[in-house]
Amino acid sequence: MNRSKRKKVIIIGAGISGLSAACYAAKAGHEVHILEKNGSPGGRARQFKTEEGFTFDMGPSWYWMPDIIENFFQDFGFRSADFYTLDPLNPQFEFISKDKRVSIPKDAKEIRALFESEEPGAGKKYDDFMRAAKFKYEVGMQQFIDKPCHSILEFTKPSLLSSALKLHLFRNFRSYVGSYFKSPLLRSIMEFPVIFLGASPAKIPAMYSLMNYGGYELGTWYPQGGFFELIKAMVKIAEDLGVKIHYHAAVKDLKLIADQSKNVRIASFKIQNETHTADEIIASCDYQHMESLLPEKFRNYSSSYWEKKTFAPSSLIVYLGIKGKIPSMKHHTLFFDAGLDEHLDEIYKEKSWPKNPLFYVCCPSKTDPHVAPSGAENLFLLMPLATGLEDTEEAREKYLDIMLSRIQKHFECPEIKERILYKRSYCVADFKKDYHAYGGNAYGLANTLSQTAILKPSIRNKKIKNLHYTGQLTVPGPGVPPSLISGKIVANEI
């Protein structure tokens, strides 16, 4: 790189998008610093260890779209295998409905046979569905997802327009799934992946059937040591490229100046009462929080803008260390033994604590012997919630008891409540405290049609020349693979 073009780049937040942006910016020859308010990297993908010998990933636990993660490593001359061992899960997960318990196998032929056994003709329909989903995945990941989304003109090439017609952007995911499958069980299994996108399947564009392909067909994986192995690998790449990461470094007191051309820039900011400067600033922290640090006239969006947005849910997460084994439990278990639509209404319409919640359990000790002491299980319980709820210890305990009762009902784990060796909960208040998350959200903005592509918050500040944004509140959206891509997009912008 021409040294005269070398810039000092400050990235606020060491989450996945921030680490990704740092790696790409450093590879381009810039001096890069990451400022992280917490004491460890990873953002929502942090990890913690306990005195009892348990290791808990705090957030992401589904390793899907492995090709997108491999693309990140390949951009820096590596493979994921250079940093960690990646094992396929078989079964990929277990699905508990009101009247059945079904394991989703790794092999596509076995999934097809499972669908056929549930509904005659559904095996072929599964193939048809996945053929269309593969097209959406390849087009979406190769032609659409890496756009900075400044203008609709980015999507007006003839090849993109012809592909867009086959993406079913204007059809909702629920009706799309219903056109293939009639069985309530199969429809629930196929609707499940888009819940990661933070909205009801009736509000998500059918384009996102690409999630089914990226999960079921490309497989569900587990990095030995936990999801934090990805974070450790990204930190290693970043630091080898010269990136410096500063912990306990919350940013405040931004000072703006205007140059002779009347371009406004962030001239300086403070960390622990010390003044610092930068040529370019990338906010990988919560978008709305970053805007709140600016005078109102220099914000991209008003408070009313954020109030009108549809946010993905928050979550009640409980990390449990359990004495003894739970023999029949799998690595991933989805408890859909209650009403999906009722729970979704309580999240998006009523904004209340659920009466009869759905939830998810991850038991990584089934795959990884290092995350729990010998003879014990590591459990991660997650229950989706509305944002902005009043979060009390009494509520956390109430819903933990509900989840444990249903685990005990379906699995061979008598007296599970008496076998708890370690317990920690994490909920709305913690998301606000640790990440400045708007409303305590866990997954950013929902990927509804009105919040897709150019309709998402802009990756650049329109009034401050050297301020950019990355992460789950901007393009391409929530999730680990999109966050990796978001970091790359914004690094290219500078």
Side-chain angles (χ1 to χ4, degrees):
M1 170 181 249
N2 183 333
R3 304 306 290 181
S4 66
K5 294 182 179 179
R6 188 172 193 257
K7 299 177 180 180
K8 181 179 179 182
V9 179
I10 295 293
I11 297 173
I12 303 173
I16 290 173
S17 65
L19 289 169
S20 174
C23 291
Y24 286 106
K27 182 184 177 184
H30 300 299
E31 176 190 346
V32 181
H33 297 261
I34 302 178
L35 310 178
E36 169 56 52
K37 73 179 285 289
N38 294 306
S40 61
R44 286 163 169 78
R46 291 180 297 160
Q47 188 181 78
F48 71 93
K49 299 178 184 291
T50 76
E51 293 179 356
E52 295 81 1
F54 295 97
T55 298
F56 292 99
D57 283 328
M58 293 188 69
S61 58
W62 289 81
Y63 198 107
W64 274 5
M65 302 184 183
D67 55 327
I68 305 301
I69 299 175
E70 287 300 328
N71 288 344
F72 169 82
F73 286 117
Q74 288 171 13
D75 283 345
F76 300 95
F78 296 105
R79 302 174 303 151
S80 63
D82 295 324
F83 300 96
Y84 50 82
T85 300
L86 196 59
D87 291 332
L89 297 183
N90 191 23
Q92 298 191 49
F93 61 91
E94 190 161 60
F95 190 95
I96 297 176
S97 69
K98 291 180 181 179
D99 53 7
K100 283 192 178 182
R101 188 165 145 188
V102 179
S103 289
I104 306 301
K106 177 173 72 75
D107 184 76
K109 291 181 180 178
E110 294 180 23
I111 299 178
R112 187 182 308 120
L114 170 66
F115 274 55
E116 187 67 29
S117 68
E118 175 65 23
E119 178 183 309
K124 181 182 182 303
K125 289 290 184 70
Y126 176 83
D127 286 341
D128 295 341
F129 184 99
M130 284 301 171
R131 192 176 301 111
K134 181 180 180 181
F135 172 82
K136 294 181 179 72
Y137 186 86
E138 291 175 344
V139 170
M141 293 301 169
Q142 294 174 15
Q143 299 184 45
F144 282 87
I145 201 169
D146 62 349
K147 298 286 187 290
C149 296
H150 296 311
S151 165
I152 191 66
L153 297 177
E154 295 170 32
F155 300 92
T156 56
K157 292 181 180 179
S159 60
L160 291 180
L161 290 174
S162 62
S163 296
L165 296 175
K166 302 175 184 178
L167 294 179
H168 300 108
L169 275 169
F170 301 104
R171 186 173 184 181
N172 79 68
F173 189 75
R174 170 155 290 172
S175 69
Y176 182 74
V177 170
S179 70
Y180 284 89
F181 310 105
K182 304 307 175 190
S183 159
L185 174 64
L186 297 185
R187 291 172 70 164
S188 293
I189 290 171
M190 296 305 278
E191 285 182 353
F192 146 67
V194 302
I195 292 175
F196 283 124
L197 302 175
S200 164
K203 300 291 185 181
I204 294 284
M207 175 186 74
Y208 286 108
S209 63
L210 63 85
M211 291 285 291
N212 299 75
Y213 179 81
Y216 298 177
E217 290 293 293
L218 296 185
T220 303
W221 302 77
Y222 176 78
Q224 286 293 324
F227 218 101
F228 194 66
E229 294 300 309
L230 171 62
I231 303 302
K232 287 162 63 177
M234 295 181 75
V235 168
K236 178 71 165 59
I237 292 171
E239 290 181 338
D240 285 351
L241 288 166
V243 175
K244 292 182 172 56
I245 306 178
H246 309 267
Y247 298 107
H248 304 294
V251 172
K252 62 180 182 178
D253 296 336
L254 300 172
K255 181 180 178 181
L256 306 181
I257 60 168
D259 61 21
Q260 292 180 341
S261 301
K262 296 185 179 180
N263 291 318
V264 176
R265 304 174 63 85
I266 294 176
S268 66
F269 52 89
K270 286 186 177 180
I271 306 170
Q272 297 175 344
N273 295 321
E274 291 186 1
T275 300
H276 299 264
T277 61
D279 297 307
E280 302 283 352
I281 294 176
I282 297 173
S284 175
C285 55
D286 182 88
Y287 197 124
Q288 187 274 337
H289 169 70
M290 184 67 201
E291 295 250 296
S292 74
L293 300 178
L294 304 171
E296 283 192 31
K297 67 178 181 179
F298 293 109
R299 299 173 188 172
N300 276 349
Y301 307 104
S302 65
S303 58
S304 62
Y305 170 90
W306 296 107
E307 290 167 4
K308 293 174 184 175
K309 291 285 121 178
T310 301
F311 275 82
S314 184
S315 297
L316 168 60
I317 301 171
V318 186
Y319 312 97
L320 294 176
I322 302 293
K323 181 180 180 180
K325 289 294 185 179
I326 306 176
S328 58
M329 181 170 277
K330 305 298 190 292
H331 189 113
H332 295 301
T333 306
L334 299 165
F335 282 79
F336 273 56
D337 52 338
L340 171 61
D341 289 337
E342 289 82 357
H343 192 160
L344 291 173
D345 283 347
E346 287 160 338
I347 292 173
Y348 295 107
K349 294 180 180 179
E350 301 169 19
K351 292 194 174 295
S352 62
W353 286 83
K355 297 180 181 66
N356 194 18
L358 283 69
F359 64 99
Y360 153 66
V361 178
C362 181
C363 185
S365 48
K366 292 298 179 187
T367 307
D368 187 347
H370 301 104
V371 298
S374 177
E377 298 282 30
N378 174 317
L379 296 186
F380 169 102
L381 280 57
L382 184 149
M383 185 182 79
L385 286 174
T387 56
L389 290 179
E390 183 182 358
D391 172 15
T392 66
E393 194 61 37
E394 291 76 16
R396 297 185 188 201
E397 287 297 320
K398 171 186 174 181
Y399 285 94
L400 171 59
D401 189 68
I402 289 172
M403 290 187 282
L404 289 177
S405 295
R406 280 161 62 185
I407 291 171
Q408 185 168 309
K409 172 185 173 183
H410 289 285
F411 293 95
E412 302 163 24
C413 49
E415 300 176 344
I416 188 172
K417 298 169 191 175
E418 289 72 41
R419 292 161 52 191
I420 295 174
L421 299 173
Y422 177 84
K423 178 178 70 175
R424 176 184 175 185
S425 63
Y426 200 94
C427 200
V428 175
D430 300 295
F431 282 104
K432 291 179 180 179
K433 173 178 170 288
D434 287 352
Y435 311 122
H436 296 301
Y438 185 84
N441 80 84
Y443 306 106
L445 286 176
N447 268 356
T448 59
L449 182 59
S450 63
Q451 296 178 170
T452 293
I454 61 169
L455 300 177
K456 286 187 180 293
S458 173
I459 65 170
R460 65 185 179 197
N461 188 288
K462 301 165 187 175
K463 302 160 189 175
I464 300 175
K465 192 172 181 63
N466 64 337
L467 177 58
H468 316 267
Y469 306 87
T470 187
Q472 61 182 10
L473 287 177
T474 184
V475 294
V480 171
S483 291
L484 288 170
I485 294 168
S486 184
K488 183 176 183 178
I489 292 171
V490 79
N492 288 339
E493 286 290 296
I494 64 170

